[in-house]
Amino acid sequence: MRVPLEWLREYCDPGLDANQLAERLALTGTEVERVEHHGVQALEHFVVGHVLERRKHPDADRLSVCMVDVGGSTPSQIVCGAPNVQAGQTVAVARPGAIMPGGTKLQKAKLRGETSDGMILAEDEVGIGTDHDGIMVLPEGPSPGTPLDTVLPIATDVLVLEITPNRPDCLGIYGIAREVHAATGAPLGPPPWDTDPGTPGDLEGADAINEAGPELCPRFTARIFEDVEIKASPMWLKARLMAAGQRPISNVVDITNYVMLLTGQPTHAYDLERVAGRRLTLRRATPGESVQTLDDQTRTLDPEMVVIDDAEGPTGIAGVMGGARSEVAEDTRQILFEAATWNGPNVHRTSLQLGLRSEASARFEKQLQPEQALWAQAVAAQLMTDLCGATLRPGTIDVGGPGPQPPTITLRQARMTSLLGMEIAPERATEILRALDFETAPARDGLQVTPPVFRRADISREADVIEEVARLYGLEQLPATLPARRSVFGSLTPRQQLARRVSDLLAAQGLHEIVGWSFTGPDALNALRLTSDQVVRLANPLSGDLAQMRTTLLSSLLDTARLNRARGAQTLRLFEVGAVYLKTSDGELPEEPQHVAGLLSGPVRPATWRDPSPRTADFFAIKGVLGGVLDSLGIPWALQPGGEAFLHPGRAARIEVDGTEAGWLGELHPSVAADWELPGEVALFELNLDAVPIPPTAIYADLTSFPDVREDLAVVVEEAVTAAQVLDTLTRAGRPLLSSAEVFDVYRDPARLGEGRKSLAVRLAFRASDRTLTDQDVAHQRQKIAQALEEKLGGRIRDSG
């Protein structure tokens, strides 16, 4: 919302400059994005001039040399290219030193050999219009040399506001003036709709029927204006529209925009002679029905959308944009002026579905109130008669009428003090609320408060009223207090604690956490060779590259790795904890399991003088990272053969946690790495945290009273038998005395071991909690281990020879 201060001060002038006013509004809850300047600068160089003489330029057919009285002792010579400049005109002049809207500083110049001591101005050259076909010719009256800003609004500061969805009343200049009045105490002028030239009653010559029902169109009003003269708007109106971000078109169209910007209520003007049957019907669209809108685009509609219809079909999309068929043209003489109230969520949906957003839809979707329609009609009636020479026909179409009376709310003094942490006097609360147009009356324990109709949807309970008092009193004045219920505290759920611990453990291993987009695109999934069966597609994506929800954290890790590699980073250690989104078979909301994923690339151990070749990221490095996390949590895990299509074959595995498949681990396939411009090996893992059990409570174990008995075994097995199978078998057989087992070497020699066999060196540790183990105890366990290896894996224990 753009608020020109020149316009705002007509209704409330706080006597503050733009930055001071912006700060005051921000402190009372109205967010000010920025302060801009619209129009020209160095105003002392803009004056009223009088053309004394005009002659043709001797060396240019399209230029004129003018002598202009600008209030000095001698006239100024100005070269002008406008075709309409003539002697005797009162004009706007910029003298050398003037700063134009684009920031250019005007200098004395020579044009085709003739000196030009300034510029005779067109509308667009001072930011009060778009016309550049000719200069502005001012009414006679101001004497030469009169400051131009006293005649035309050529400069104003503009507040650019971010209006929250619950405050549609602030989407109009008068609504902001009311806020300024309440925030600063400056006098507020009467509402511009206080005087209404229109009259109620039946309106001859037009009719409206609401088939959509009051839930979609709570109110529809219309009036007829005859003998309308279509022409350019006056300079003051153009200037205000330009400063507010609207382009002037013609007086009638400009009035619709002016009324909307002033009152917050959008309006629409129909050429009554182009409304077939002179009857408007408000109804739902039929499937596949289309309408050509004012932007010359044909829109296809669905039954959830509301159209305004005449005898020949749709002539506008309710709350979004009017139709081209009944557009006001130069030959228009009769205007049907409409102001309506539409269902906000329905307008929002229609706007999104059609990809069509307008100033009107931005206001309607926040839910305007029925009373605002006649406010807009009152302002429009004054402007139509003043600026278009129009005659207002008696009567008003009014389908629906005003809304229900807002509820009266009890504001308890004790409750307000309890919520705010300090006492605000009832007299001060009454002053604040009345400045905001609330009605108040004394009550036994506080105030009886009735909100104004334009706050009907926003103010519904006592806390809402207290918020209004607090923000205008000054939130910065409220003391910092502790909550009354000090025993209440927040805590993490067990799942949240697990995610937090996993993050801490990965960070402790030197990995850096990233936060990636939850969105991805089909190109990323294709590059990862993933199917799209479980993909959740977005109805309104930010872009084509972010058109669906991610099913894996891998793409955001790879995107981050590519970005860092492109900026010279050679060693990458990244992880992310976040949700992925999986489509459900019943079409309801998607599943959102929490995953954790890690990535290593580049050296994981630097080169030294003893080992000049640094170790780079590989399968075993990423396995060590994952193992460090799960072992620290005390959760049993294992790796099984297999992997995803985007992983290197033979360098990948599936992760099992407590016997349940929970993720994958391995090195990235070289072709996939090339798609992300990642040279060298890239090792990754991804784990479904929802499949990981909550870590058991840590239990103390005595590790020092009785020492370990350590032995090494060499186990000969077939080549196809994995180290994990060997460890699992001997661990089960060695219970309860076997405390740990670790493979530390592999040996292959067909001559000594046999073809297709290998020897795994395993370090065992035996311990008892109640005694020191003897050689006989360990020998017995060793015999059980050897028997189990032979029976289950066909293995044998190789002797030292």
Side-chain angles (χ1 to χ4, degrees):
M1 173 72 183
R2 294 175 58 87
V3 180
L5 294 194
E6 177 275 329
W7 194 355
L8 176 69
R9 289 183 177 123
E10 179 180 337
Y11 299 101
C12 184
D13 185 359
L16 304 174
D17 66 28
N19 290 313
Q20 291 172 328
L21 180 57
E23 180 180 3
R24 186 65 189 131
L25 286 174
L27 289 173
T28 55
T30 303
E31 183 179 349
V32 182
E33 286 189 355
R34 59 188 182 275
V35 177
E36 295 181 355
H37 182 82
H38 177 80
V40 302
Q41 300 179 63
L43 294 177
E44 67 274 15
H45 297 289
F46 291 87
V47 298
V48 174
H50 184 74
V51 182
L52 302 175
E53 176 187 335
R54 178 252 181 192
R55 60 184 173 86
K56 184 176 175 300
H57 194 292
D59 295 322
D61 293 339
R62 297 186 180 181
L63 297 180
S64 302
V65 180
C66 302
M67 299 303 296
V68 184
D69 181 1
V70 292
S73 57
T74 59
S76 297
Q77 178 173 291
I78 298 176
V79 178
C80 180
N84 65 326
V85 63
Q86 298 292 335
Q89 292 174 334
T90 300
V91 294
V93 176
R95 304 184 67 183
I99 299 176
M100 311 308 288
T104 302
K105 188 173 184 179
L106 190 64
Q107 305 288 345
K108 190 172 184 178
K110 233 177 201 186
L111 301 177
R112 298 286 185 92
E114 294 287 342
T115 300
S116 184
D117 194 19
M119 178 188 295
I120 303 177
L121 299 167
E123 287 182 7
D124 64 329
E125 290 166 331
V126 287
I128 63 173
T130 58
D131 186 10
H132 192 69
D133 293 337
I135 61 167
M136 294 182 290
V137 180
L138 306 180
E140 294 185 7
S143 59
T146 300
L148 187 60
D149 62 321
T150 64
V151 178
L152 293 176
I154 58 174
T156 182
D157 287 323
V158 178
L159 301 182
V160 182
L161 307 181
E162 180 67 32
I163 304 301
T164 54
N166 66 316
R167 294 301 306 274
D169 58 297
C170 288
L171 287 170
I173 297 294
Y174 192 80
I176 297 298
R178 188 188 298 111
E179 286 290 307
V180 172
H181 161 64
T184 67
L188 177 67
W193 52 82
D194 260 9
T195 301
D196 186 0
T199 57
D202 294 337
L203 178 65
E204 291 186 14
D207 194 11
I209 299 175
N210 186 6
E211 294 182 357
E215 68 280 358
L216 292 178
C217 179
R219 191 175 199 179
F220 185 91
T221 70
R223 288 174 174 175
I224 293 177
F225 295 89
E226 298 174 324
D227 304 321
V228 176
E229 181 185 358
I230 305 297
K231 59 183 179 181
S233 296
M235 295 293 182
W236 65 266
L237 179 55
K238 289 183 179 182
R240 287 183 173 180
L241 291 180
M242 289 287 290
Q246 293 288 321
R247 182 172 62 91
I249 297 173
S250 68
N251 53 356
V252 172
V253 177
D254 293 349
I255 286 170
T256 64
N257 289 326
Y258 186 89
V259 170
M260 175 185 68
L261 294 171
L262 177 58
T263 67
Q265 167 70 49
T267 60
H268 186 69
Y270 298 84
D271 184 332
L272 183 58
E273 295 179 359
R274 299 182 183 183
V275 176
R278 297 201 170 202
R279 168 177 287 183
L280 295 177
T281 301
L282 323 175
R283 61 171 176 82
R284 292 178 181 268
T286 58
E289 191 170 28
S290 63
V291 58
Q292 185 179 8
T293 47
L294 288 172
D295 58 358
D296 291 327
Q297 300 292 317
T298 299
R299 315 280 177 175
T300 302
L301 313 176
D302 66 45
E304 294 299 316
M305 301 174 184
V306 179
V307 296
I308 303 171
D309 186 60
D310 64 14
E312 295 180 2
T315 186
I317 305 172
V320 180
M321 188 173 286
R325 184 157 51 80
S326 58
E327 183 179 6
V328 173
E330 291 185 2
D331 60 349
T332 298
R333 293 296 174 264
Q334 288 187 309
I335 294 290
L336 181 68
F337 207 95
E338 168 238 307
T341 309
W342 306 103
N343 178 282
N346 180 266
V347 172
H348 179 66
R349 177 195 176 277
T350 300
S351 178
L352 286 179
Q353 289 288 106
L354 297 177
L356 178 60
R357 188 167 177 82
S358 62
E359 287 284 345
S361 68
R363 287 165 170 78
F364 280 125
E365 68 187 17
K366 296 175 177 61
Q367 195 53 66
L368 303 182
Q369 298 303 315
E371 289 78 4
Q372 294 175 259
L374 278 187
W375 298 349
Q377 288 285 11
V379 178
Q382 299 170 45
L383 293 172
M384 288 291 293
T385 54
D386 292 345
L387 305 183
C388 305
T391 302
L392 175 60
R393 183 178 292 182
T396 301
I397 294 174
D398 189 357
V399 180
Q405 183 67 19
T408 296
I409 300 167
T410 299
L411 173 60
R412 295 166 293 173
Q413 184 69 26
R415 179 60 174 161
M416 182 165 60
T417 301
S418 172
L419 280 182
L420 300 183
M422 67 175 294
E423 184 174 356
I424 298 177
E427 296 78 14
R428 178 62 179 137
T430 300
E431 180 185 354
I432 290 171
L433 292 171
R434 287 182 177 174
L436 292 171
D437 222 8
F438 287 65
E439 294 180 6
T440 63
R444 183 173 59 83
D445 53 355
L447 295 172
Q448 292 293 106
V449 179
T450 304
V453 293
F454 53 83
R455 301 294 300 277
R456 181 187 285 123
D458 181 34
I459 306 296
S460 60
R461 55 183 182 156
E462 185 181 19
D464 298 331
V465 180
I466 294 173
E467 180 185 3
E468 293 299 296
V469 174
R471 72 180 181 87
L472 270 303
Y473 182 80
L475 296 176
E476 72 280 4
Q477 298 189 54
L478 300 183
T481 57
L482 292 174
R485 299 177 64 191
R486 298 185 182 182
S487 61
V488 177
F489 59 91
S491 62
L492 299 176
T493 66
R495 283 286 157 197
Q496 291 171 330
Q497 292 176 353
L498 173 63
R500 186 74 60 85
R501 289 188 63 189
V502 168
S503 295
D504 291 343
L505 290 168
L506 288 169
Q509 296 189 64
L511 277 72
H512 300 280
E513 185 172 10
I514 72 164
V515 179
W517 285 99
S518 296
F519 313 120
T520 187
D523 291 344
L525 289 184
N526 293 337
L528 292 173
R529 306 173 183 177
L530 295 175
T531 61
S532 58
D533 296 343
Q534 288 188 292
V535 170
V536 178
R537 291 180 173 80
L538 300 175
N540 55 334
L542 297 174
S543 68
D545 294 336
L546 302 171
Q548 52 200 38
M549 305 301 290
R550 65 184 179 186
T551 58
T552 173
L553 303 181
L554 178 56
S555 59
S556 59
L557 281 174
L558 292 175
D559 288 342
T560 304
R562 173 170 56 190
L563 183 68
N564 282 271
R565 271 293 179 87
R567 284 154 179 76
Q570 299 300 315
T571 301
L572 298 175
R573 300 180 178 186
L574 310 173
F575 78 94
E576 180 175 6
V577 178
V580 300
Y581 305 85
L582 306 176
K583 186 178 181 180
T584 55
S585 58
D586 57 9
E588 296 296 324
L589 292 175
E591 297 177 2
E592 298 184 31
Q594 286 286 115
H595 282 206
V596 58
L599 177 148
L600 300 179
S601 179
V604 294
R605 185 178 65 197
T608 66
W609 66 273
R610 298 183 62 183
D611 186 3
S613 299
R615 180 181 174 186
T616 58
D618 59 8
F619 176 89
F620 297 103
I622 199 69
K623 176 187 174 187
V625 170
L626 177 67
V629 172
L630 295 177
D631 290 344
S632 297
L633 294 174
I635 295 173
W637 66 284
L639 297 181
Q640 299 298 337
E644 301 289 343
F646 49 78
L647 296 177
H648 194 300
R651 301 182 189 176
R654 295 192 177 278
I655 305 169
E656 281 190 0
V657 175
D658 203 21
T660 302
E661 184 175 321
W664 52 262
L665 174 149
E667 296 180 23
L668 192 65
H669 196 286
S671 64
V672 178
D675 287 337
W676 266 272
E677 303 171 6
L678 297 173
E681 290 77 15
V682 180
L684 315 102
F685 77 86
E686 185 163 353
L687 182 67
N688 181 1
L689 287 177
D690 287 359
V692 175
I694 301 300
T697 302
I699 300 176
Y700 166 78
D702 182 1
L703 301 179
T704 59
S705 297
F706 303 101
D708 287 341
V709 175
R710 299 178 181 273
E711 288 192 359
D712 293 345
L713 294 180
V715 181
V716 179
V717 292
E718 295 291 336
E719 189 69 48
V721 177
T722 65
Q725 290 175 296
V726 171
L727 291 176
D728 181 66
T729 299
L730 60 85
T731 298
R732 292 175 184 273
R735 290 173 180 167
L737 298 182
L738 182 63
S739 60
S740 67
E742 178 185 1
V743 175
F744 64 89
D745 193 18
V746 61
Y747 170 72
R748 292 178 177 86
D749 186 347
R752 301 186 65 180
L753 303 178
E755 194 69 37
R757 297 178 73 81
K758 62 186 177 184
S759 175
L760 298 178
V762 186
R763 180 160 293 137
L764 306 177
F766 298 91
R767 182 190 304 115
S769 61
D770 57 347
R771 70 188 190 281
T772 300
L773 295 178
T774 65
D775 289 342
Q776 292 78 9
D777 293 331
V778 174
H780 177 66
Q781 294 300 116
R782 181 186 174 111
Q783 183 179 0
K784 289 173 58 182
I785 289 172
Q787 182 178 353
L789 289 170
E790 181 177 1
E791 292 176 355
K792 296 185 177 182
L793 301 178
R796 63 180 176 84
I797 296 188
R798 182 166 64 93
D799 58 33
S800 58

